[in-house]
Amino acid sequence: MNVDALITNILESYKDEGCINLEDAHNFPNRQNVIDVLQEILTLLFPGFRTMEQFDQDNLPYITGMRVNRIIAGLTKEIQKSILYICNIKGIGKTACAKLAETPSLSLIEAIPEIRRKVILDVRAALREDPAANNMEEIILSYPGAEAVAVYRIAHFLHTSGVPVIPRIMSEYIHGRTGIDIHPGATIGESFFIDHGTGVVIGETTIIGNNVKIYQGVTLGALSVKKSEQSVKRHPTIEDNVTIYAGATILGGKTVIGAGSIIGGNTWVTKSVPRGSVITIS
């Protein structure tokens, strides 16, 4: 077998089908670089939980400063690549493009205290709701739901800042790790708890209120829609203090689950239910 001929066939495929990331072509972000930056951001949220570095109150400012600068440099580079085609379309030069990319990176760093506040509320919700949880540190270290929601909050911030591609890389990375699929476009309130988590799907236009708890296998999805309807609300609204048990499927952009409701396991819901409802399989 002629290996050179096999290589030529692969190169011809690149030429014919495209979808390669050349420096002088689309120049899209590098997946591994984005994941590396994400890990740095998660470590910034919870210092000491994800790395072996030793720190104390004296060197914490230095370590934090170094990490912040690495995040800004790395994220800005990947954002710049993600918006390069926009710059080309609008005729924006590379220098201006770099500044355009730096803005969301700096905004994310500015938002870290608020993101931390929300993530800590999520962790406290897990501690409050899960009898198996012994302390917050255990949840931060080992709960896939807590990790997936933390990544969602980072990706959601970048998504709402208009950053293309990168939020999806982050959300699909954590989807692969945890089995929890949260689109960065979803809107999720405070004190959100996903128990167990495997198989959870939360669609792009989902709206979730405060103090909501869901279990494994829950789908908050869309009814079948055309591609032309991608800009409309396709996924349900879950109001405050709702519990959704394992395997429940709630579909449709007009579907509203009223505050304080309980949605039983393996139910199929495509119509709104009033506040305080209990929906089970009869």
Side-chain angles (χ1 to χ4, degrees), residues 199-203 214-222 236 244 247-251:
V200 166
V201 176
I202 300 175
I214 67 177
Y215 287 82
Q216 68 273 17
V218 167
T219 296
L220 305 179
I244 307 173
T249 298
I250 304 172
L251 304 178

Side-chain angles (χ1 to χ4, degrees), residues 50-119:
R50 307 181 67 88
T51 64
M52 295 180 64
E53 63 191 357
Q54 299 294 316
F55 63 86
D56 52 33
Q57 292 301 321
D58 291 331
N59 66 13
L60 182 60
Y62 171 78
I63 291 173
T64 302
M66 292 292 291
R67 176 158 286 117
V68 164
N69 279 284
R70 285 198 301 270
I71 292 169
I72 292 171
L75 186 58
T76 298
K77 180 180 178 181
E78 297 308 314
I79 293 175
Q80 182 178 353
K81 289 192 286 185
S82 77
I83 65 173
L84 184 62
Y85 67 93
I86 298 176
C87 291
N88 289 336
I89 291 171
K90 295 184 177 181
I92 301 173
K94 287 188 176 181
T95 301
C97 188
K99 291 181 179 178
L100 187 63
E102 189 176 55
T103 299
S105 300
L106 293 172
S107 296
L108 175 66
I109 297 301
E110 183 181 21
I112 287 296
E114 175 61 12
I115 293 173
R116 287 196 81 242
R117 185 188 71 82
K118 290 181 178 179
V119 171

Side-chain angles (χ1 to χ4, degrees), residues 133-279:
N134 296 301
N135 50 65
M136 291 179 62
E137 289 77 13
E138 177 186 10
I139 294 164
I140 294 167
L141 284 168
S142 63
Y143 274 45
E147 185 177 13
V149 175
V151 171
Y152 154 77
R153 298 209 182 276
I154 295 165
H156 178 72
F157 180 89
L158 294 172
H159 177 85
T160 56
S161 299
V163 175
V165 184
I166 288 172
R168 289 305 302 272
I169 294 174
M170 292 178 172
S171 63
E172 293 307 323
Y173 163 73
I174 201 64
H175 178 198
R177 276 179 52 86
T178 65
I180 298 169
D181 183 1
I182 309 176
H183 194 286
T187 301
I188 300 177
E190 297 181 352
S191 299
F192 181 51
F193 176 40
I194 301 176
D195 201 357
H196 303 296
T198 305
V200 166
V201 176
I202 300 175
E204 179 183 14
T205 60
T206 303
I207 298 174
I208 298 175
N210 297 325
N211 302 306
V212 170
K213 176 170 65 174
I214 67 177
Y215 287 82
Q216 68 273 17
V218 167
T219 296
L220 305 179
L223 294 164
S224 180
V225 295
K226 298 177 181 178
K227 183 71 172 181
S228 59
E229 297 175 331
Q230 69 181 119
S231 61
V232 304
K233 189 178 188 303
R234 309 181 304 280
H235 306 91
T237 295
I238 312 299
E239 294 185 344
D240 295 347
N241 303 305
V242 169
T243 298
I244 307 173
Y245 284 98
T249 298
I250 304 172
L251 304 178
K254 296 181 180 179
T255 303
V256 178
I257 305 302
S261 294
I262 296 174
I263 307 299
N266 298 315
T267 51
W268 177 273
V269 181
T270 58
K271 295 182 180 179
S272 296
V273 301
R275 61 186 301 127
S277 298
V278 177
I279 305 299

